[in-house]
Amino acid sequence: SICSEAGGGDGPTPPIELQGCASATSCADCMAAVPESSADACTWFEDIGYCEEGCGMEGCGATQCVESIRTCAECLTSDDPSFSQWSWVPGTNTCVASCSSMDVPADAACFAGGSYGVEVCPTCDEYTTCDACLGNGCSYSEGGCYDSCSDPMVPADGSCFDGNIYDSAEVCPAPLCEDMSTCDACLGNGCSYSEGDCYDSCSDPMVPADGSCFDGNIYDSAEVCPPPPPPPPPPMPMDAPPSADGMDDMATNSSVFKNVSWVITTLAVATYMCAL
């Protein structure tokens, strides 16, 4: 149709190539704009929503939009650190427009660009898992994380995967079913659950012959897994000892009771003597 021809069919519409950086009104348009001067590229200033030709009086803008940034170093790197446009959230390994963004979890640590640079970014050898290593643009080899596959510490006879090329889903080993300690984790990872243990499949010879077995590719944990135990009831309150005032009241009542008893006894004796 005319509409589909004009719109290019399904899918997102690519940014329009603009002449002159100042005509761009978004980061995506800024990255696609063509500078009119001798500047190599347009740069985006998120705080003022402006696209500049190269670096200006305000410093240097971003050369990547936040959506395309994967690593801490990319997020906080700038020709002038005091003008870094983005902020990094280490707890979620995400780059955000600012620390006040709704994408930042409450109480999460956040390093604001302009206040922090790459000195707050972990080095590759600090990442302890395959996913974290590749997800931060490092290189993974034989259980270790390195700056690159050309790092002299990479095992010479081992495979090495560059995080800028490979995705963790392609490289990182899947968790073993036998390591899943809960019913939810077992079924949630596509394993099979039987009698308190997790197996690769219900045909595993170690599955109890007389037990039920549930395949995580068929059953949902909500259908199978026992609900968590209810919280214990609160402790029963203990009888409080009588207060000082209560002790005084008890002493007073005892004294009154003794006096009344003496009066009654005296009257009874007098009545008996009169009757004789």
Side-chain angles (χ1 to χ4, degrees):
S1 68
I2 295 175
C3 293
S4 61
E5 289 176 7
D10 296 333
T13 303
I16 300 172
E17 185 176 288
L18 303 172
Q19 291 297 323
C21 302
S23 57
T25 57
S26 70
C27 181
D29 287 342
C30 184
M31 296 300 104
V34 178
E36 293 181 323
S37 67
S38 58
D40 294 333
C42 300
T43 61
W44 177 252
F45 290 84
E46 177 69 16
D47 54 346
I48 58 175
Y50 184 71
C51 187
E52 174 74 71
E53 298 198 4
C55 297
M57 294 179 62
E58 301 83 5
C60 298
T63 55
Q64 281 183 278
C65 294
V66 68
E67 295 82 6
S68 64
I69 296 175
R70 296 178 55 205
T71 71
C72 175
E74 289 178 322
C75 186
L76 298 180
T77 295
S78 172
D79 291 339
D80 181 347
S82 64
F83 291 101
S84 180
Q85 298 299 307
W86 312 123
S87 301
W88 180 253
V89 184
T92 57
N93 278 337
T94 52
C95 191
V96 295
S98 75
C99 286
S100 59
S101 168
M102 294 295 291
D103 296 327
V104 179
D107 300 326
C110 182
F111 297 104
S115 299
Y116 296 92
V118 294
E119 72 278 357
V120 301
C121 298
T123 56
C124 290
D125 59 5
E126 293 181 65
Y127 294 112
T128 58
T129 67
C130 175
D131 290 282
C133 179
L134 295 181
N136 283 281
C138 302
S139 297
Y140 185 79
S141 177
E142 306 300 315
C145 192
Y146 305 90
D147 291 333
S148 72
C149 284
S150 58
D151 188 310
M153 299 301 292
V154 173
D157 56 350
S159 300
C160 185
F161 303 92
D162 185 334
N164 296 304
I165 301 173
Y166 292 93
D167 186 80
S168 60
E170 303 174 83
V171 175
C172 300
L176 298 176
C177 292
E178 63 188 34
D179 293 336
M180 303 294 172
S181 58
T182 66
C183 174
D184 292 281
C186 180
L187 296 182
N189 282 279
C191 302
S192 297
Y193 185 78
S194 177
E195 305 301 315
D197 290 310
C198 194
Y199 303 90
D200 290 334
S201 72
C202 285
S203 59
D204 189 310
M206 299 301 293
V207 173
D210 56 350
S212 301
C213 185
F214 303 93
D215 186 334
N217 296 303
I218 300 173
Y219 292 93
D220 185 80
S221 60
E223 304 174 82
V224 175
C225 300
M236 296 294 292
M238 297 179 64
D239 293 335
S243 63
D245 292 340
M247 295 293 289
D248 293 342
D249 290 343
M250 290 175 63
T252 301
N253 292 338
S254 177
S255 177
V256 170
F257 178 76
K258 289 179 180 179
N259 291 337
V260 171
S261 297
W262 180 83
V263 171
I264 293 173
T265 302
T266 302
L267 288 174
V269 170
T271 302
Y272 175 76
M273 294 297 293
C274 291
L276 292 179

